[in-house]
Amino acid sequence: MKDLAYYKKERSEAWRVELRKSMKAKERTSRPRVKMPELEPEERRHIFDKEVNIGLTVEMAISEAQRCLDCPDPTCVDGCPVNINIPKFIKKIEAKDFKGAIAVLKEYNTLPAVCGRVCPQEEQCESKCFYTVTLKKEPIAIGYLERFAADYERLSGDSAIPEVKESNGIKVAGIGSGPASLAWAADMAREGYDVTVFEALHEIGGVLKYGIPEYRLPNEIIDFEIENLKRMGVKFKTNFVIGKTKTIEQLREEGYKAFFIGTGAGLPRFMHIPGENSINILSANEFLTRVNLMGGAKEDYDTPIPEVKGKNVAVIGAGNTAMDAVRTSLRLGAKRAMIIYRRSRAEMPARKEEVKHAEEEGVEFIFQTNPVRYIADEQGRVKKVVVQKMQLGEPDASGRRRPIPIPGSEYEIDADIVIVAIGVSPNPLIPSIYPELKTNRWGAIVVNEDQQTSVEDIFAGGDITRGGSTVILAMGDGRRAAAGMHKYLKAKFPEKVK
Amino acid sequence: MNKIVDKVFLSEKVVQMDIEAPDIARNRKPGHFVIVRVDKKGERIPLTIVKSDLEKGTIRLIVQEVGVTSGKLIDKEVGDYVLDVVGPLGKATDIKKVGTVLAAGGGVGIAPLLPIVEGFKKAGNRVITVLAARTKKLLILEKEMREFSDEVIIMTDDGSYGKKGLVTAGMEEVLKREKVDEAVVIGPAIMMKFAALLTKEYNVHTIASLNTIMVDGTGMCGACRVTVGGQTKFVCVDGPEFDAHLVDFDEMLKRLNAYKDYEVKAYEQFLKNRKKQTA
């Protein structure tokens, strides 16, 4: 429950009052929602390294910010997993104080440039906007405005780093360098801790780097945020698998006092149907890692990818990862880039914007259809996927209608490449090495409301505690874990921690 | 960045390299491997750790040139750096005292076999080792193997050294004459397939160390998946060693060819470039 009095107090500051007076509500609500300038579908379906969403101009951002009514009870805040003070940052934009806007964002959100791009706003803040709920109109483009503020600061070359308290000399270790750990690291560094983040891969950023393609989330944005963290004193060690290269016990011997596990949900799920181990059937993780992390699509990089040009590509699944895989296939020159999904359009978990972009680019959606087995040639290369039609019954545990196979509805779809994007599970490495860490039946590490595990000096957050989820939820966990860890360490070392 | 501190050619295309990696050296056990990326545009490939030196903080890798990445690695000299080395990965070999162990290594598979032979010997087993290569000059690590084996049988395809024949002939000689409690086979997939079929006839529990394609090596992509006993396993985290009688070698052989055309073309180009550079 948010503290309404706090929001009311802020809202009554002179500059906010002036701003509200400067334009009548009627004029604000008469404007349509801003349209994000986008690269044309025909042009962008061949381009990897330019973002589809070009970004709002200053004029567009101010105009959109003016649409916001600065509600006395900002329900948008309730929709945000980290409760960003949304009206405040939007009103800063309206007042042309862009630096002020990013300062507000950074109080709550370590990676606003990332969230502005990848948050499912339509399920979060924007779904609770007064426009959506009461006016039945399109909501304020909160995500676009967040991105605008973050990009403005980055491109201005004048990026402020948050104030860092005097060092208290206490060493803490982050395991994994995805959004959960990055958010945790920022908060711990701010409190004066000696923070080191250990990453198994050779690049920092976790799923932000290996999973999300450049045309949606450019690597330079992630690297910019990582640079800021380094400026705050955070140390990063790559090619370091905690549990293998060094154990947690060895780190304790080196003086580390607490640990944050942010190792994610990188374990790919397969359907375990006949033929699934044929050549050119890959998990979405493998496909995207080859392309995004290993430069597989680039001529001068050594890592190969399956030959996509002119081929039929079938992506199984309809979440954001499936959209990333299918749109990447299109950009690689696929003749047909298909989404095969067992439920219908209404149940698709992907962000609405990803689906829209995918359709504009020419992705084919085949709904209420599920693979049964694969047919390969004599060399073991997949040639066809045998599918069956599904009908939708009563909702299952996820709340979505349950797919039920229709007998006798099998048919074949030509597929030279199949990408399995049906979900991921928590990375099993750390739980398997440390059985004392309590996990649930899906392998996720169990934590309390302070993100503390069953081992007192070990905290965890992000997908390792949730299964495949979102960047913003991971970051919220990371921040909560930092608060919990700080509380724990303060109690344990009262003479050291201020 | 890991420095190469020693380099020795074991044969024309096989190089033994010692690389600085003190953390890996400390936690390494027989059976573990590393993933190596030579440079920024390079691939990630798995290589077994043959041994580690705690004092020097180094690990030993043995690389056979079969393509671009192994070629780039072999071209590096002492004092050069390898960009990324991560490990120790995989599950360590389950070394126990069983009695008599039959170890069979084919070609460059002899390299990962060495630490396992050493481990079984030190655990108090009788170790009979069969080493096989196409020809004498491709046979590696004979001296080191003799140090940890009660008997060494050498097989070459062309008879230029030891006995003429395949590794399975050498193995069968042993299986026929004495009771073997455990077998370990490492080499090209096709060799492991037939070695496993042989030991199955004699009902000897056999471990194979699989060498599939890998990308991350930490269990997050599934490129290395194999079918073992009807279930899908990841070689990088569930292996690399498995019960050889349960491994679907035919499927594994097919999957190893996934990028064959690309690899051949890339290697041809690499050789052309190498010729130009040394010209």
Side-chain angles (χ1 to χ4, degrees):
Chain A
M1 272 318 307
K2 65 181 186 289
D3 178 7
L4 213 48
Y6 164 76
Y7 288 95
K8 281 206 158 110
K9 179 164 162 281
E10 291 231 302
R11 195 179 173 267
S12 61
E13 284 178 11
W15 70 279
R16 294 272 282 264
V17 177
E18 278 307 307
L19 219 48
R20 281 197 299 278
K21 283 198 185 135
S22 70
M23 192 183 286
K24 284 194 156 45
K26 210 169 175 156
E27 198 195 325
R28 294 180 192 272
T29 59
S30 67
R31 237 172 253 188
R33 174 182 153 117
V34 71
K35 288 248 173 305
M36 168 64 78
E38 295 170 352
L39 292 182
E40 286 301 312
E42 253 322 297
E43 176 200 345
R44 74 191 195 222
R45 72 203 289 277
H46 305 293
I47 298 175
F48 265 107
D49 56 1
K50 280 213 206 96
E51 276 190 87
V52 171
N53 283 350
I54 300 170
L56 301 182
T57 60
V58 170
E59 294 74 31
M60 291 166 106
I62 294 172
S63 173
E64 182 66 12
Q66 285 168 340
R67 277 181 79 224
C68 169
L69 296 168
D70 202 355
C71 301
D73 178 2
T75 46
C76 49
V77 177
D78 301 327
C80 174
V82 295
N83 301 119
I84 292 174
N85 192 338
I86 296 171
K88 188 171 180 183
F89 97 78
I90 292 181
K91 289 302 133 187
K92 286 279 182 188
I93 291 177
E94 185 181 343
K96 299 197 180 98
D97 178 10
F98 305 137
K99 277 194 117 173
I102 193 65
V104 172
L105 283 165
K106 285 202 165 158
E107 271 179 61
Y108 303 85
N109 182 346
T110 325
L111 307 170
V114 174
C115 291
R117 285 168 165 81
V118 307
C119 263
Q121 292 93 359
E122 73 267 19
E123 288 166 29
Q124 295 174 173
C125 50
E126 292 179 14
S127 73
K128 298 255 199 279
C129 175
F130 180 74
Y131 276 75
T132 311
V133 175
T134 306
L135 298 180
K136 309 292 183 204
K137 282 180 166 189
E138 284 201 287
I140 303 302
I142 300 171
Y144 295 161
L145 290 173
E146 180 179 26
R147 177 197 156 154
F148 168 80
D151 286 357
Y152 188 89
E153 189 201 39
R154 176 172 55 90
L155 296 168
S156 75
D158 179 19
S159 173
I161 57 161
E163 228 181 275
V164 168
K165 287 191 184 154
E166 196 188 321
S167 169
N168 59 26
I170 297 182
K171 282 162 71 166
V172 291
I175 304 172
S177 68
S181 296
L182 296 178
W184 165 86
D187 282 0
M188 294 304 285
R190 265 200 276 228
E191 282 297 331
Y193 289 94
D194 181 344
V195 183
T196 303
V197 175
F198 295 92
E199 166 57 48
L201 294 174
H202 56 266
E203 288 259 6
I204 300 163
V207 74
L208 302 175
K209 278 269 177 79
Y210 74 73
I212 307 180
E214 292 250 46
Y215 59 79
R216 198 150 80 85
L217 180 62
N219 281 349
E220 65 173 344
I221 295 198
I222 306 156
D223 288 335
F224 179 79
E225 299 298 348
I226 290 166
E227 245 342 282
N228 283 341
L229 284 171
K230 287 181 181 170
R231 284 164 69 196
M232 285 167 72
V234 175
K235 288 169 275 192
F236 290 93
K237 286 204 165 125
T238 54
N239 297 317
F240 216 107
V241 184
I242 298 300
K244 300 293 241 181
T245 312
K246 274 197 183 150
T247 61
I248 290 185
E249 202 40 60
Q250 285 170 325
L251 289 178
R252 284 194 188 109
E253 285 165 22
E254 286 180 22
Y256 285 88
K257 298 300 180 199
F259 304 86
F260 175 75
I261 300 176
T263 49
L267 182 65
R269 264 191 234 142
F270 286 97
M271 290 179 72
H272 301 295
I273 53 177
E276 204 177 34
N277 289 344
S278 302
I279 295 175
N280 293 332
I281 299 185
L282 302 80
S283 70
N285 271 2
E286 184 187 345
F287 181 67
L288 293 171
T289 296
R290 282 180 183 273
V291 176
N292 297 330
L293 186 73
M294 306 303 298
K298 299 183 192 158
E299 279 281 326
D300 54 339
Y301 279 67
D302 295 339
T303 301
I305 47 170
E307 183 62 59
V308 178
K309 204 168 170 136
K311 302 279 192 233
N312 298 314
V313 179
V315 175
I316 318 299
N320 290 315
T321 305
M323 294 305 133
D324 286 339
V326 81
R327 292 171 70 199
T328 297
S329 304
L330 213 55
R331 281 157 173 75
L332 290 170
K335 180 169 78 182
R336 256 183 113 189
M338 301 167 267
I339 286 280
I340 297 179
Y341 181 49
R342 60 187 181 150
R343 290 185 170 99
S344 77
R345 180 179 292 272
E347 286 89 20
M348 278 202 288
R351 281 179 92 234
K352 296 259 177 307
E353 196 173 47
E354 305 316 318
V355 177
K356 167 178 167 290
H357 285 163
E359 269 177 323
E360 287 167 354
E361 289 162 11
V363 169
E364 275 179 67
F365 287 81
I366 302 173
F367 292 112
Q368 290 181 226
T369 307
N370 209 29
V372 172
R373 65 180 179 281
Y374 298 97
I375 297 174
D377 64 19
E378 308 86 60
Q379 277 130 22
R381 277 165 224 278
V382 68
K383 275 196 318 193
K384 294 176 199 279
V385 46
V386 178
V387 297
Q388 70 185 163
K389 298 298 290 176
M390 313 294 269
Q391 58 192 341
L392 298 178
E394 286 305 301
D396 66 16
S398 74
R400 292 175 295 168
R401 290 183 294 164
R402 184 194 310 266
I404 300 164
I406 298 175
S409 66
E410 285 189 10
Y411 68 97
E412 294 174 355
I413 301 178
D414 286 341
D416 306 293
I417 296 167
V418 177
I419 300 170
V420 182
I422 58 171
V424 281
S425 302
N427 187 311
L429 184 72
I430 298 231
S432 71
I433 295 177
Y434 301 102
E436 57 269 33
L437 278 170
K438 186 155 175 282
T439 53
N440 67 17
R441 66 187 161 108
W442 295 289
I445 295 178
V446 174
V447 290
N448 63 17
E449 66 278 0
D450 284 334
Q451 304 293 136
Q452 192 179 30
T453 68
S454 54
V455 179
E456 74 161 35
D457 63 350
I458 302 180
F459 292 71
D463 288 2
I464 191 65
T465 62
R466 297 170 174 272
S469 183
T470 63
V471 168
I472 188 74
L473 287 170
M475 284 177 21
D477 289 352
R479 302 209 63 197
R480 237 185 328 273
M485 189 183 284
H486 178 51
K487 191 169 86 180
Y488 162 75
L489 290 169
K490 208 165 171 189
K492 230 179 168 174
F493 305 101
E495 71 295 352
K496 278 190 159 178
V497 181
K498 300 290 164 276
Chain B
M1 293 268 277
N2 301 70
K3 185 150 69 145
I4 299 168
V5 295
D6 196 28
K7 177 185 175 185
V8 175
F9 274 92
L10 299 183
S11 71
E12 188 195 335
K13 283 191 167 185
V14 179
V15 160
Q16 174 181 286
M17 260 182 186
D18 290 351
I19 296 181
E20 266 175 10
D23 293 327
I24 303 176
R26 191 189 322 125
N27 281 356
R28 171 260 168 192
K29 293 191 176 62
H32 278 150
F33 65 96
V34 288
I35 290 268
V36 168
R37 189 174 73 134
V38 180
D39 56 48
K40 190 164 167 287
K41 298 185 176 178
E43 275 186 292
R44 291 170 62 100
I45 61 164
L47 289 166
T48 309
I49 305 171
V50 173
K51 75 186 286 187
S52 59
D53 187 321
L54 282 164
E55 253 183 68
K56 295 191 185 136
T58 58
I59 56 171
R60 175 163 294 173
L61 309 175
I62 292 179
V63 190
Q64 176 183 35
E65 177 173 320
V66 295
V68 171
T69 307
S70 47
K72 277 186 182 180
L73 194 46
I74 283 188
D75 285 349
K76 292 240 171 220
E77 299 295 353
V78 172
D80 286 344
Y81 287 83
V82 177
L83 185 57
D84 298 295
V85 179
V86 60
L89 302 174
K91 289 202 169 121
T93 311
D94 185 19
I95 308 244
K96 38 187 199 267
K97 185 161 179 207
V98 290
T100 302
V101 176
L102 174 60
V108 78
I110 293 173
L113 187 64
L114 178 59
I116 297 173
V117 159
E118 182 182 347
F120 273 110
K121 184 72 200 142
K122 285 184 172 161
N125 294 291
R126 171 172 149 75
V127 178
I128 305 167
T129 304
V130 180
L131 302 177
R134 269 184 287 130
T135 182
K136 177 176 184 183
K137 68 173 185 178
L138 295 175
L139 190 83
I140 59 172
L141 302 177
E142 180 190 348
K143 185 167 131 285
E144 289 84 349
M145 281 296 194
R146 285 197 188 279
E147 195 188 329
F148 299 111
S149 311
D150 293 278
E151 185 186 339
V152 173
I153 297 171
I154 295 179
M155 309 294 300
T156 47
D157 289 6
D158 62 1
S160 54
Y161 193 47
K163 300 189 185 146
K164 183 169 176 179
L166 298 173
V167 70
T168 37
M171 288 173 73
E172 191 153 31
E173 187 189 311
V174 179
L175 290 163
K176 275 195 165 118
R177 74 170 194 227
E178 62 184 282
K179 177 175 171 288
V180 171
D181 300 291
E182 179 99 337
V184 182
V185 299
I186 310 186
I190 187 93
M191 169 233 160
M192 291 192 286
K193 172 184 169 180
F194 284 104
L197 286 170
L198 174 67
T199 58
K200 194 164 170 104
E201 281 175 47
Y202 290 83
N203 240 311
V204 176
H205 182 263
T206 304
I207 302 166
S209 181
L210 305 186
N211 55 348
T212 52
I213 291 172
M214 284 186 193
V215 184
D216 65 294
T218 58
M220 51 79 89
C221 80
C224 64
R225 63 191 190 277
V226 290
T227 303
V228 181
Q231 295 193 312
T232 297
K233 298 281 177 193
F234 288 6
V235 173
C236 66
V237 291
D238 302 315
E241 292 163 21
F242 295 98
D243 181 337
H245 298 154
L246 298 177
V247 174
D248 184 343
F249 281 104
D250 289 331
E251 178 190 83
M252 182 184 156
L253 278 156
K254 284 187 177 152
R255 286 181 61 77
L256 280 168
N257 285 330
Y259 299 98
K260 192 99 210 156
D261 294 341
Y262 175 92
E263 286 167 358
V264 168
K265 272 204 207 96
Y267 188 41
E268 276 169 16
Q269 186 58 48
F270 171 78
L271 290 173
K272 280 200 192 110
N273 292 343
R274 190 197 249 162
K275 250 200 162 130
K276 277 197 216 135
Q277 277 173 359
T278 53

